[in-house]
Amino acid sequence: MKNLILLFLAVLTLSCTTKAQEKTETKKEYKVTKTDAQWKEVLTSEQYYILRKAGTERPFSSPLNKNYKEGVYHCAGCNTPLYKSEHKFDSGTGWPSFDRAVEGSIDKDVDYKIGYARSELLCGTCGGHLGHVFSDGPRNTTGKRHCINGDALIFVPKK
Ligand SMILES: [Zn+2]
């Protein structure tokens, strides 16, 4: 009987340990990682504020808002191609808007900064904050509106 109790206690302890270990979530590791100081060295203060501090630029402030040249929009932090010019549209919001991203290039997260849940968009390579996705995009394509800060992007024109 004593042995049984000991066994029971051992199993109980084991299962508790397993549970505790499950709780420590591992944060996604990005291919491109830098310290805060390193990011500050390579980014302008505007880019740093958007990408690393999840900031938002003033609407209509980005020259990319009304840019409709052919080309690809890269992440300003790690140069990964994120958006193509053919998926850009004028949403009238004052921020560069796209109906979809380059497949597999971005990550989604949820933030509650303005009191309700919004789907945050992050660069899938460096984890930089790009903007948010809403469901009021063009109905004839994806119905999605990727509302992106121009300062998070670098436009590479088609040659
Ligand atoms: Zn990036």
Side-chain angles (χ1 to χ4, degrees):
M1 189 60 193
K2 207 182 168 192
N3 278 345
L4 256 180
I5 292 170
L6 276 177
L7 186 72
F8 176 73
L9 281 175
V11 170
L12 198 72
T13 321
L14 254 176
S15 60
C16 286
T17 327
T18 325
K19 275 231 175 86
Q21 276 170 350
E22 272 170 17
K23 267 188 189 165
T24 40
E25 266 179 57
T26 43
K27 254 210 149 185
K28 181 183 170 174
E29 287 215 5
Y30 286 100
K31 249 186 252 164
V32 173
T33 51
K34 290 186 202 300
T35 65
D36 217 37
Q38 286 170 328
W39 280 121
K40 274 186 183 163
E41 262 177 47
V42 295
L43 300 174
T44 67
S45 56
E46 289 83 6
Q47 289 168 339
Y48 176 81
Y49 169 67
I50 307 293
L51 288 164
R52 309 315 311 177
K53 294 287 158 199
T56 300
E57 70 197 12
R58 277 181 301 109
F60 302 100
S61 67
S62 171
L64 294 181
N65 181 40
K66 292 280 182 189
N67 176 45
Y68 292 103
K69 289 180 198 134
E70 264 186 78
V72 180
Y73 296 82
H74 292 227
C75 172
C78 69
N79 207 26
T80 299
L82 301 176
Y83 291 98
K84 291 179 183 169
S85 55
E86 62 255 45
H87 300 136
K88 193 172 190 288
F89 67 97
D90 187 3
S91 63
T93 58
W95 287 283
S97 302
F98 305 84
D99 69 5
R100 79 201 75 172
V102 171
E103 230 182 293
S105 69
I106 55 166
D107 272 351
K108 272 184 210 166
D109 205 350
V110 178
D111 86 41
Y112 295 90
K113 267 193 188 151
I114 52 169
Y116 60 88
R118 287 184 302 177
S119 285
E120 183 190 3
L121 298 173
L122 308 160
C123 170
T125 306
C126 72
H129 171 87
L130 305 169
H132 293 90
V133 60
F134 302 93
S135 295
D136 56 6
R139 288 188 168 215
N140 56 341
T141 59
T142 61
K144 296 289 176 199
R145 171 170 60 94
H146 289 223
C147 183
I148 305 299
N149 290 284
D151 277 331
L153 300 172
I154 287 171
F155 179 65
V156 181
K158 194 178 171 183
K159 279 189 191 123

Coordinates of all heavy atoms in Angstrom, one line a residue, residues 47 49-57 73-78 80-83 95-96 98 101 105-108 119-133 146-154:
Q47 N 11.3 54.7 -39.4 CA 11.3 53.3 -39.6 C 11.3 52.5 -38.3 O 10.6 51.5 -38.1 CB 12.4 52.8 -40.5 CG 12.3 53.3 -42.0 CD 13.6 53.0 -42.8 OE1 14.7 52.9 -42.2 NE2 13.5 53.0 -44.1
Y49 N 10.4 53.6 -35.3 CA 9.2 53.8 -34.6 C 8.0 52.9 -35.1 O 7.3 52.3 -34.3 CB 8.8 55.3 -34.8 CG 7.4 55.6 -34.3 CD1 7.1 55.6 -32.9 CD2 6.4 56.0 -35.2 CE1 5.8 55.9 -32.5 CE2 5.1 56.4 -34.8 CZ 4.8 56.3 -33.4 OH 3.6 56.6 -33.0
I50 N 8.0 52.7 -36.4 CA 6.9 51.8 -37.0 C 7.3 50.3 -36.7 O 6.5 49.6 -36.1 CB 6.7 52.0 -38.5 CG1 6.5 53.5 -38.8 CG2 5.6 51.1 -39.0 CD1 5.2 54.1 -38.4
L51 N 8.4 49.9 -37.3 CA 8.8 48.5 -37.3 C 9.0 47.9 -35.9 O 8.6 46.8 -35.6 CB 10.0 48.3 -38.2 CG 9.8 48.4 -39.7 CD1 11.2 48.6 -40.3 CD2 9.1 47.2 -40.3
R52 N 9.7 48.6 -35.1 CA 10.2 48.1 -33.8 C 9.3 48.5 -32.6 O 9.3 47.8 -31.6 CB 11.6 48.4 -33.5 CG 12.6 48.1 -34.6 CD 12.5 46.7 -35.3 NE 12.4 45.6 -34.5 CZ 12.2 44.3 -34.9 NH1 12.1 44.1 -36.2 NH2 12.1 43.3 -34.1
K53 N 8.6 49.6 -32.8 CA 7.7 50.1 -31.7 C 6.2 50.0 -32.0 O 5.4 50.6 -31.3 CB 8.1 51.5 -31.3 CG 9.5 51.7 -30.7 CD 9.6 51.1 -29.3 CE 11.0 50.8 -28.9 NZ 11.0 49.8 -27.8
A54 N 5.9 49.4 -33.1 CA 4.5 49.2 -33.6 C 3.8 50.5 -33.7 O 2.6 50.6 -33.4 CB 3.8 48.2 -32.7
G55 N 4.5 51.5 -34.1 CA 3.9 52.9 -34.3 C 3.1 53.0 -35.5 O 3.0 52.0 -36.3
T56 N 2.4 54.1 -35.7 CA 1.6 54.4 -36.9 C 1.9 55.8 -37.4 O 2.0 56.7 -36.6 CB 0.1 54.3 -36.5 OG1 -0.2 53.0 -36.0 CG2 -0.8 54.6 -37.7
E57 N 2.2 55.8 -38.7 CA 2.6 57.1 -39.3 C 1.3 57.9 -39.5 O 0.2 57.4 -39.5 CB 3.3 56.9 -40.6 CG 2.4 56.4 -41.7 CD 3.2 55.8 -42.9 OE1 4.4 55.6 -42.8 OE2 2.5 55.5 -43.9
Y73 N 7.2 46.0 -53.0 CA 7.4 46.7 -51.8 C 8.1 45.7 -50.8 O 7.6 44.7 -50.5 CB 6.1 47.2 -51.2 CG 5.4 48.2 -52.0 CD1 4.6 47.8 -53.1 CD2 5.6 49.6 -51.8 CE1 4.0 48.8 -54.0 CE2 4.9 50.5 -52.6 CZ 4.2 50.1 -53.7 OH 3.6 51.0 -54.5
H74 N 9.3 46.1 -50.4 CA 10.1 45.3 -49.5 C 10.0 45.8 -48.1 O 9.8 47.0 -47.8 CB 11.6 45.3 -49.9 CG 11.9 44.6 -51.2 ND1 12.9 43.8 -51.4 CD2 11.2 44.7 -52.4 CE1 12.9 43.3 -52.7 NE2 11.9 43.9 -53.3
C75 N 10.3 44.9 -47.1 CA 10.4 45.3 -45.7 C 11.6 46.2 -45.5 O 12.7 45.9 -46.0 CB 10.6 44.0 -44.8 SG 10.9 44.4 -43.1
A76 N 11.4 47.4 -44.9 CA 12.4 48.3 -44.7 C 13.4 47.8 -43.6 O 14.5 48.3 -43.5 CB 11.8 49.7 -44.2
G77 N 13.1 46.8 -42.9 CA 14.0 46.3 -41.9 C 14.9 45.2 -42.4 O 16.1 45.2 -42.0
C78 N 14.4 44.3 -43.3 CA 15.2 43.2 -43.7 C 15.2 42.9 -45.2 O 15.8 41.9 -45.6 CB 14.8 41.9 -42.9 SG 13.1 41.4 -43.4
T80 N 12.9 41.9 -47.2 CA 12.1 40.8 -47.7 C 11.0 41.3 -48.6 O 10.3 42.3 -48.2 CB 11.5 40.0 -46.6 OG1 12.6 39.4 -45.8 CG2 10.6 38.8 -47.1
P81 N 10.7 40.8 -49.8 CA 9.6 41.3 -50.6 C 8.3 40.9 -50.0 O 8.0 39.8 -49.6 CB 9.8 40.5 -52.0 CG 11.1 39.9 -51.9 CD 11.5 39.8 -50.5
L82 N 7.4 41.9 -49.7 CA 6.2 41.7 -49.0 C 4.9 42.0 -49.8 O 4.0 41.2 -49.7 CB 6.1 42.6 -47.7 CG 7.3 42.5 -46.7 CD1 7.1 43.5 -45.6 CD2 7.3 41.1 -46.1
Y83 N 4.9 43.0 -50.6 CA 3.7 43.4 -51.4 C 4.1 43.7 -52.8 O 5.1 44.3 -53.1 CB 3.0 44.6 -50.7 CG 2.4 44.2 -49.4 CD1 3.0 44.5 -48.2 CD2 1.2 43.6 -49.3 CE1 2.5 44.2 -47.0 CE2 0.6 43.2 -48.1 CZ 1.2 43.5 -46.9 OH 0.7 43.2 -45.7
W95 N -3.2 55.5 -46.0 CA -2.1 54.6 -45.9 C -2.0 53.6 -47.1 O -3.1 53.3 -47.6 CB -2.3 53.7 -44.6 CG -2.0 54.5 -43.3 CD1 -0.8 54.8 -42.8 CD2 -3.0 54.9 -42.4 NE1 -1.0 55.5 -41.6 CE2 -2.4 55.6 -41.4 CE3 -4.4 54.9 -42.4 CZ2 -3.0 56.2 -40.3 CZ3 -5.1 55.5 -41.4 CH2 -4.4 56.2 -40.3
P96 N -0.8 53.3 -47.5 CA -0.7 52.3 -48.6 C -1.5 51.1 -48.3 O -1.4 50.5 -47.2 CB 0.8 52.0 -48.6 CG 1.5 53.2 -48.0 CD 0.5 53.7 -47.0
F98 N -3.2 47.2 -49.6 CA -3.0 46.1 -50.5 C -4.1 45.1 -50.2 O -4.6 45.0 -49.1 CB -1.7 45.4 -50.3 CG -0.5 46.4 -50.5 CD1 -0.1 47.1 -49.4 CD2 0.2 46.5 -51.7 CE1 1.0 48.0 -49.5 CE2 1.2 47.3 -51.8 CZ 1.7 48.1 -50.8
A101 N -0.8 40.0 -49.4 CA 0.7 40.0 -49.3 C 1.3 39.0 -50.2 O 0.6 38.1 -50.7 CB 1.1 39.8 -47.9
S105 N 4.9 35.6 -46.7 CA 5.9 36.6 -46.3 C 5.6 37.3 -45.0 O 6.5 37.9 -44.4 CB 6.1 37.7 -47.4 OG 4.9 38.5 -47.5
I106 N 4.4 37.2 -44.6 CA 4.0 38.0 -43.3 C 3.4 37.1 -42.3 O 2.9 36.0 -42.6 CB 3.1 39.2 -43.6 CG1 1.8 38.7 -44.4 CG2 3.8 40.2 -44.4 CD1 0.7 39.7 -44.4
D107 N 3.4 37.6 -41.1 CA 2.8 36.9 -39.9 C 1.7 37.8 -39.4 O 1.7 39.0 -39.6 CB 3.9 36.8 -38.8 CG 4.7 35.6 -38.9 OD1 4.4 34.7 -39.7 OD2 5.7 35.5 -38.1
K108 N 0.7 37.1 -38.7 CA -0.4 37.9 -38.1 C -0.3 37.7 -36.6 O 0.0 36.7 -36.1 CB -1.7 37.3 -38.6 CG -2.1 38.0 -39.9 CD -3.5 37.6 -40.3 CE -3.6 37.7 -41.8 NZ -4.8 36.9 -42.3
S119 N -6.1 42.6 -36.1 CA -5.1 41.7 -36.6 C -3.9 42.5 -37.1 O -4.0 43.2 -38.0 CB -5.6 40.9 -37.8 OG -6.5 39.9 -37.3
E120 N -2.8 42.3 -36.3 CA -1.6 43.1 -36.6 C -0.8 42.3 -37.7 O -0.8 41.1 -37.7 CB -0.8 43.2 -35.3 CG 0.5 44.0 -35.5 CD 1.4 43.9 -34.3 OE1 1.1 43.2 -33.3 OE2 2.4 44.5 -34.3
L121 N -0.2 43.0 -38.6 CA 0.6 42.3 -39.6 C 2.1 42.6 -39.3 O 2.5 43.7 -39.1 CB 0.3 42.9 -41.0 CG -1.1 42.7 -41.5 CD1 -1.4 43.4 -42.8 CD2 -1.4 41.2 -41.7
L122 N 2.9 41.5 -39.3 CA 4.3 41.6 -39.1 C 5.1 41.0 -40.2 O 4.6 40.0 -40.8 CB 4.6 40.8 -37.8 CG 3.8 41.1 -36.5 CD1 3.9 39.9 -35.6 CD2 4.3 42.4 -35.9
C123 N 6.3 41.5 -40.4 CA 7.2 40.9 -41.4 C 7.5 39.5 -40.9 O 7.9 39.3 -39.8 CB 8.4 41.7 -41.6 SG 9.7 40.9 -42.5
G124 N 7.3 38.4 -41.7 CA 7.6 37.1 -41.3 C 9.1 36.7 -41.2 O 9.4 35.7 -40.7
T125 N 9.9 37.6 -41.7 CA 11.4 37.4 -41.6 C 12.0 38.1 -40.4 O 12.9 37.5 -39.8 CB 12.1 37.8 -42.9 OG1 11.4 37.2 -44.0 CG2 13.5 37.5 -42.9
C126 N 11.6 39.3 -40.1 CA 12.3 40.0 -39.0 C 11.3 40.4 -37.9 O 11.7 40.9 -36.8 CB 13.0 41.3 -39.5 SG 11.9 42.6 -40.0
G127 N 10.0 40.1 -38.1 CA 9.0 40.4 -37.0 C 8.7 41.9 -36.9 O 8.0 42.3 -36.0
G128 N 9.1 42.7 -37.8 CA 8.8 44.1 -37.8 C 7.3 44.4 -38.0 O 6.7 43.7 -38.8
H129 N 6.8 45.4 -37.2 CA 5.4 45.7 -37.4 C 5.2 46.5 -38.7 O 5.9 47.4 -39.0 CB 5.0 46.6 -36.2 CG 3.6 47.3 -36.3 ND1 2.5 46.6 -35.9 CD2 3.2 48.5 -36.9 CE1 1.4 47.4 -36.2 NE2 1.9 48.5 -36.7
L130 N 4.1 46.1 -39.4 CA 3.8 46.7 -40.7 C 2.6 47.5 -40.7 O 2.5 48.6 -41.2 CB 3.7 45.6 -41.8 CG 4.9 44.6 -42.0 CD1 4.5 43.5 -42.9 CD2 6.1 45.3 -42.5
G131 N 1.5 47.0 -40.1 CA 0.2 47.6 -40.0 C -0.8 46.6 -39.6 O -0.5 45.8 -38.7
H132 N -2.1 46.7 -40.1 CA -3.2 45.9 -39.7 C -3.9 45.4 -40.9 O -3.9 46.0 -42.0 CB -4.1 46.6 -38.8 CG -3.5 46.9 -37.4 ND1 -2.8 48.1 -37.2 CD2 -3.3 46.2 -36.3 CE1 -2.3 48.1 -36.0 NE2 -2.6 47.0 -35.4
V133 N -4.7 44.3 -40.8 CA -5.5 43.8 -41.8 C -7.0 44.0 -41.4 O -7.4 43.7 -40.3 CB -5.2 42.4 -42.3 CG1 -5.3 41.4 -41.2 CG2 -6.0 42.0 -43.5
H146 N -5.1 45.3 -46.4 CA -3.8 45.4 -45.6 C -3.4 46.8 -45.5 O -3.0 47.4 -46.5 CB -2.7 44.6 -46.3 CG -2.9 43.1 -46.2 ND1 -1.9 42.2 -45.9 CD2 -4.0 42.3 -46.4 CE1 -2.4 41.0 -45.9 NE2 -3.7 41.0 -46.2
C147 N -3.6 47.4 -44.4 CA -3.3 48.8 -44.1 C -1.9 49.0 -43.6 O -1.7 48.6 -42.5 CB -4.4 49.4 -43.1 SG -4.2 51.1 -42.8
I148 N -1.0 49.4 -44.5 CA 0.4 49.3 -44.2 C 1.1 50.7 -44.0 O 0.8 51.6 -44.8 CB 1.2 48.5 -45.3 CG1 0.5 47.2 -45.5 CG2 2.6 48.4 -45.0 CD1 0.5 46.2 -44.3
N149 N 1.9 50.8 -43.1 CA 2.7 52.1 -42.9 C 3.8 52.2 -44.0 O 4.6 51.2 -44.1 CB 3.4 52.1 -41.5 CG 2.4 52.3 -40.4 OD1 1.9 53.4 -40.2 ND2 2.1 51.2 -39.7
G150 N 3.7 53.3 -44.8 CA 4.7 53.4 -45.8 C 6.2 53.4 -45.3 O 7.1 52.9 -46.0
D151 N 6.4 53.9 -44.1 CA 7.7 53.9 -43.5 C 8.2 52.5 -43.2 O 9.4 52.3 -42.9 CB 7.7 54.7 -42.2 CG 7.9 56.2 -42.5 OD1 8.5 56.5 -43.5 OD2 7.4 57.0 -41.7
A152 N 7.4 51.5 -43.2 CA 7.8 50.1 -43.0 C 8.3 49.5 -44.3 O 8.8 48.3 -44.3 CB 6.7 49.3 -42.4
L153 N 8.0 50.2 -45.4 CA 8.3 49.6 -46.7 C 9.4 50.3 -47.5 O 9.6 51.5 -47.3 CB 7.0 49.6 -47.6 CG 5.8 48.8 -47.0 CD1 4.6 49.1 -47.9 CD2 6.1 47.3 -46.9
I154 N 10.0 49.6 -48.4 CA 10.9 50.3 -49.4 C 10.4 49.8 -50.8 O 10.3 48.6 -51.0 CB 12.4 49.8 -49.1 CG1 12.9 50.6 -47.9 CG2 13.2 50.2 -50.3 CD1 14.2 50.1 -47.4

